């Protein structure tokens, strides 16, 4: 098989890239290890920045997102039993976030690619990437037991953090920046209407809690737990009472409860691989970087990377110039590091650390107090949360 761009992974990065390339009349083939059903049901992120929404809408894959996405103009920060609303819309000059589950974005993109005759090959195995340090890159994979090769001009490694592309680059050519947080998130999906129409981030002496949602009928709720915690120690009743305790408020507040549809524990990590390119292999999304979910940046960064990559590839195919391709890593990393900083800041401000001294506790409350009382500080949060400008 031959194509122009061989894409490994049909997550947000791989599918958006394939879609944007198609609009530029550049051919691609997407190779995905899982089935279509699996990727369309995988529950992950849910907060889309303004720029992500605009890109999906402007490129013709945002009709359902516009119809069903929940547009939020603010978030609440809750600490010391009081809630403080950050007016994202007003502070950012009219931008918002949209709550629309990642698996819905995936469904829309898969449908659009297949309708346009795009090739996504599901359930491939033994994927390996070759020749990207020379003129003839190719991807070897197994489909229905048969080994096949996909020859291409460039390879896009969009295969997530545990994919094969990043580890295929010689270790000496990549620098890793890695930080694992000393706590995890226990997340539940519950058949319960959201307790508030906007997201609530709670800082509490028992640990962080987040009240989010996926639809008007389904809540997505998280609590901070120690890294070695086991899910079996957390029956549903214990989770609900912990959510109640951490969100307690002087005033009206009722936590809506319902059947727990799914629960899991996930660690929090900050990771960046530099550079994001080696020869004709380009890394994008989680394959190159991971952020703790507190800043809601993971999916949005994946989309931002492939937007840059699609532009660079379009320039190359139109003019033969590699100016943008050569700057791909540098351009993406500027945004990646700003998102890392923001995600780290939100995480360290809102979580409890075992090593916290009374001084740390007071400093954290003072930071939240300052933030929620200062228009300048709230503006900084708002412009990062809705998404920094693309360029
Ligand atoms: C459990 C979980 C929960 C999350 N929750 C949030 C959240 O609440 N908020 C938030 O902002 N972010 C969240 N994230 C992060 C966000 O979902 C990711 O940043 C986003 O999915 C990145 O998109 P991607 O396309 O780069 O990678 P992925 O979505 O990981 O896609 C990579 C794709 O490559 C495929 N693949 C992997 N290896 C191979 C291979 N060898 N061959 C072929 N295909 C392969 C995978 O099956 C997958 O489909 C979460 C992530 C996880 C794992």
């Amino acid at each position: 098989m031959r194509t122009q761009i061989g894409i490994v992974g049909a997550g947000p990065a791989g599918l958006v890239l394939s879609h944007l390339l198609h609009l530029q009349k550049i051919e691609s083939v997407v190779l995905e290890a899982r089935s279509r059903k699996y990727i369309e049901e995988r529950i992950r992120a849910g907060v889309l920045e303004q720029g992500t929404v605009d890109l999906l809408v402007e490129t013709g894959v945002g009709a359902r997102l516009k119809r069903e996405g929940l547009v939020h103009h603010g978030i609440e920060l809750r600490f010391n039993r009081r809630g403080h609303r950050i007016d994202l819309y007003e502070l950012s000059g009219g931008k918002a976030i949209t709550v629309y589950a990642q698996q819905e974005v995936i469904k829309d993109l898969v449908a659009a690619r297949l309708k346009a005759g795009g090739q996504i090959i599901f359930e491939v195995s033994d994927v390996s990437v070759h020749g990207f340090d020379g003129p003839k890159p190719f991807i070897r994979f197994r489909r229905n037991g048969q080994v096949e090769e996909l020859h291409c001009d460039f390879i896009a490694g969009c295969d997530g953090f545990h994919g094969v592309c990043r580890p295929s680059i010689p270790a000496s050519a990549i620098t890793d920046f890695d930080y694992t947080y000393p706590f995890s998130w226990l997340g539940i999906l519950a058949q319960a209407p959201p307790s508030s129409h906007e997201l609530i981030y709670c800082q509490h002496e028992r640990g962080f809690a987040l009240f989010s949602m996926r639809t008007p009928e389904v809540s997505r709720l998280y609590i901070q737990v120690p890294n070695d915690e086991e899910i079996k120690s957390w029956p549903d009743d214990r989770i609900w009472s912990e959510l109640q305790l951490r969100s307690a408020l002087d005033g009206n507040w009722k936590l809506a409860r319902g059947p727990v549809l799914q629960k899991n524990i996930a660690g929090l990590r900050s990771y960046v691989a530099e550079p994001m390119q080696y020869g004709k292999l380009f890394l994008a999304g989680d394959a190159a970087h991971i952020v703790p979910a507190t800043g809601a940046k993971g999916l949005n960064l994946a989309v931002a990377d492939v937007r840059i990559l699609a532009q660079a590839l379009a320039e190359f195919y139109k003019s033969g110039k590699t100016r943008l391709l050569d700057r791909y890593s540098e351009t993406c990393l500027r945004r990646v590091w700003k998102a890392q900083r923001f995600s780290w800041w939100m995480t360290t401000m809102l979580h409890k650390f075992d090593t916290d001294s009374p001084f740390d506790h007071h400093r954290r409350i003072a930071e939240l107090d300052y933030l929620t009382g200062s228009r300048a500080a709230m503006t900084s949060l708002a412009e990062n949360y809705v998404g920094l400008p693309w360029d």
Side-chain angles (χ1 to χ4, degrees), residues 282-341:
F282 291 82
L283 302 176
D286 279 16
H289 40 72
I290 297 283
V291 282
T294 330
K297 293 283 165 247
L299 184 160
N300 296 294
L301 274 183
V303 172
D305 287 350
V306 296
R307 179 182 161 275
I308 302 287
L309 186 53
Q311 279 175 351
L313 290 166
E315 183 194 62
F316 172 76
Y317 283 110
K318 278 190 190 116
S319 67
K321 289 192 187 136
T322 60
R323 188 185 55 104
L324 292 179
L325 279 175
D326 294 342
R327 284 175 29 199
Y328 168 73
S329 179
E330 183 193 333
T331 310
C332 289
L333 284 168
R334 284 188 67 204
R335 185 182 190 83
V336 167
W337 276 111
K338 285 178 195 160
Q340 289 289 2
R341 182 210 68 84

Side-chain angles (χ1 to χ4, degrees), residues 126-166:
D126 297 339
V127 175
S128 53
V129 288
H130 307 270
F132 48 86
D133 49 352
K136 293 187 175 168
F138 68 97
I139 308 172
R140 189 171 289 140
F141 62 99
R142 197 178 282 276
R143 167 167 46 168
N144 300 325
Q146 299 294 316
V147 175
E148 299 185 36
E149 284 183 0
L150 173 65
H151 292 258
C152 47
D153 300 333
F154 299 95
I155 299 174
C158 301
D159 49 348
F161 187 67
H162 299 288
V164 295
C165 290
R166 191 183 66 253

Side-chain angles (χ1 to χ4, degrees), residues 127-381:
V127 175
S128 53
V129 288
H130 307 270
F132 48 86
D133 49 352
K136 293 187 175 168
F138 68 97
I139 308 172
R140 189 171 289 140
F141 62 99
R142 197 178 282 276
R143 167 167 46 168
N144 300 325
Q146 299 294 316
V147 175
E148 299 185 36
E149 284 183 0
L150 173 65
H151 292 258
C152 47
D153 300 333
F154 299 95
I155 299 174
C158 301
D159 49 348
F161 187 67
H162 299 288
V164 295
C165 290
R166 191 183 66 253
S168 303
I169 298 175
S172 58
I174 291 252
T175 306
D176 297 299
F177 300 88
D178 200 0
Y179 176 68
T180 301
Y181 294 81
F183 39 72
S184 299
W185 278 15
L186 189 163
I188 61 168
L189 200 65
Q191 189 68 49
S195 303
S196 155
H197 68 285
E198 293 178 341
L199 274 71
I200 306 174
Y201 287 80
C202 302
Q203 191 277 350
H204 193 273
E205 61 197 16
R206 297 179 68 87
F208 170 75
L210 172 61
F211 295 76
S212 180
M213 67 289 291
R214 287 298 177 260
T215 70
E217 297 81 32
V218 176
S219 294
R220 183 82 167 128
L221 309 166
Y222 300 93
I223 48 173
Q224 173 187 351
V225 294
N227 271 343
D228 54 2
E229 203 72 352
E230 290 192 43
I231 200 79
K232 63 176 192 276
S233 318
W234 286 90
D236 297 354
D237 281 352
R238 185 177 173 205
I239 299 173
W240 288 115
S241 42
E242 200 61 36
L243 284 162
Q244 183 77 54
L245 282 171
R246 296 186 192 187
S247 60
L249 195 64
D250 292 333
N252 280 337
W253 162 246
K254 188 161 173 6
L255 174 59
R257 300 182 185 210
V260 173
L261 306 173
Q262 198 227 40
K263 62 179 160 184
N264 71 313
I265 294 181
L268 272 74
R269 183 172 199 164
S270 298
Y271 171 84
V272 181
E274 283 197 27
M276 291 167 58
Q277 176 203 359
Y278 184 81
K280 297 196 165 193
L281 171 60
F282 291 82
L283 302 176
D286 279 16
H289 40 72
I290 297 283
V291 282
T294 330
K297 293 283 165 247
L299 184 160
N300 296 294
L301 274 183
V303 172
D305 287 350
V306 296
R307 179 182 161 275
I308 302 287
L309 186 53
Q311 279 175 351
L313 290 166
E315 183 194 62
F316 172 76
Y317 283 110
K318 278 190 190 116
S319 67
K321 289 192 187 136
T322 60
R323 188 185 55 104
L324 292 179
L325 279 175
D326 294 342
R327 284 175 29 199
Y328 168 73
S329 179
E330 183 193 333
T331 310
C332 289
L333 284 168
R334 284 188 67 204
R335 185 182 190 83
V336 167
W337 276 111
K338 285 178 195 160
Q340 289 289 2
R341 182 210 68 84
F342 177 68
S343 304
W344 168 88
W345 173 70
M346 287 282 281
T347 305
T348 51
M349 177 172 67
L350 291 164
H351 287 71
K352 176 184 162 66
F353 286 70
D354 284 346
T355 51
D356 276 353
S357 64
F359 175 84
D360 294 318
H361 172 71
H362 284 285
R363 182 190 46 73
R364 191 166 290 126
I365 295 297
E367 182 161 14
L368 283 159
D369 198 14
Y370 165 67
L371 168 62
T372 52
S374 156
R375 187 177 172 87
M378 285 190 287
T379 303
S380 169
L381 187 154

